[in-house]
Amino acid sequence: MNRKSVLLLLLAVAATARTAHAQIAAGISITGQNLSQYYTPGASEWIYGPTISLQDEHGHILKLGGDLRASFLRRDGVGVNSFAVGPRASFKLPVVPIRPYAEVLIGVIGVRSTNTGPFTTHVEYQYVFGVDHAVLPHVDWRVLEYSHGGVINSSEDKRDQLSTGLIFRFF
């Protein structure tokens, strides 16, 4: 190939290539968290409340980015507040309007076992897996999100969360 052919080939590839675009999204979900570790062994207690998130992604089919989220869960005097941040990976499937994703988050959790008791604060981790479904051009339904997490340096404080909600994509 001569120089002119190579240059034309490179220009053709550059002209047809799609640029990766950033996408910022905010979400609100209702979250339920299993609290069996705070009660009698074998008991299954759940607390509920909102989770809000702000995420940023880049890419087309494989989207990489980050998530910043906060949860505020309450029931019968028990409270759990969580603030976490971490990397996020999702797949935007070309034909089907679903977007599976995974995240690994680290942050701070505050737990209060009575209405009048103080919050105890710990460093936490979360592994998050879920599926979003596009329902409108810039609105996704968070069909189901599962999160498993715990307090770092504690083998006893493990918890599971289930969430569903809406995601609003801005760009």
Side-chain angles (χ1 to χ4, degrees):
M1 279 184 146
N2 63 25
R3 289 177 129 183
K4 194 174 192 179
S5 297
V6 171
L7 182 59
L8 287 173
L9 179 63
L10 288 175
L11 286 174
V13 169
T16 59
R18 294 173 48 190
T19 58
H21 63 281
Q23 189 167 55
I24 297 173
I28 182 81
S29 299
I30 187 73
T31 300
Q33 178 176 317
N34 186 304
L35 287 180
S36 59
Q37 75 274 18
Y38 299 116
Y39 295 96
T40 307
S44 180
E45 295 291 332
W46 287 79
I47 62 173
Y48 304 94
T51 295
I52 56 173
S53 64
L54 183 62
Q55 57 196 51
D56 180 32
E57 299 177 321
H58 306 272
H60 289 289
I61 294 175
L62 172 62
K63 294 180 171 278
L64 301 175
D67 189 10
L68 172 68
R69 62 174 52 205
S71 297
F72 307 95
L73 312 178
R74 302 281 183 277
R75 179 179 175 193
D76 296 335
V78 175
V80 176
N81 294 339
S82 173
F83 304 94
V85 64
R88 168 186 176 83
S90 69
F91 294 96
K92 184 177 181 185
L93 302 176
V95 178
V96 183
I98 64 169
R99 186 184 306 223
Y101 63 90
E103 303 176 359
V104 178
L105 306 175
I106 189 164
V108 177
I109 186 171
V111 179
R112 180 173 64 189
S113 58
T114 65
N115 280 329
T116 58
F119 277 92
T120 58
T121 306
H122 310 278
V123 177
E124 70 157 344
Y125 67 89
Q126 293 180 39
Y127 303 113
V128 181
F129 306 95
V131 175
D132 293 343
H133 181 281
V135 293
L136 293 171
H138 294 281
V139 179
D140 289 358
W141 169 35
R142 178 146 289 161
V143 178
L144 180 64
E145 178 180 270
Y146 169 74
S147 171
H148 175 76
V151 171
I152 293 178
N153 294 330
S154 173
S155 62
E156 296 178 9
D157 190 13
K158 301 281 190 264
R159 68 191 177 287
D160 296 304
Q161 292 181 341
L162 295 173
S163 299
T164 188
L166 293 175
I167 304 298
F168 302 94
R169 300 191 184 280
F170 299 112
F171 298 103

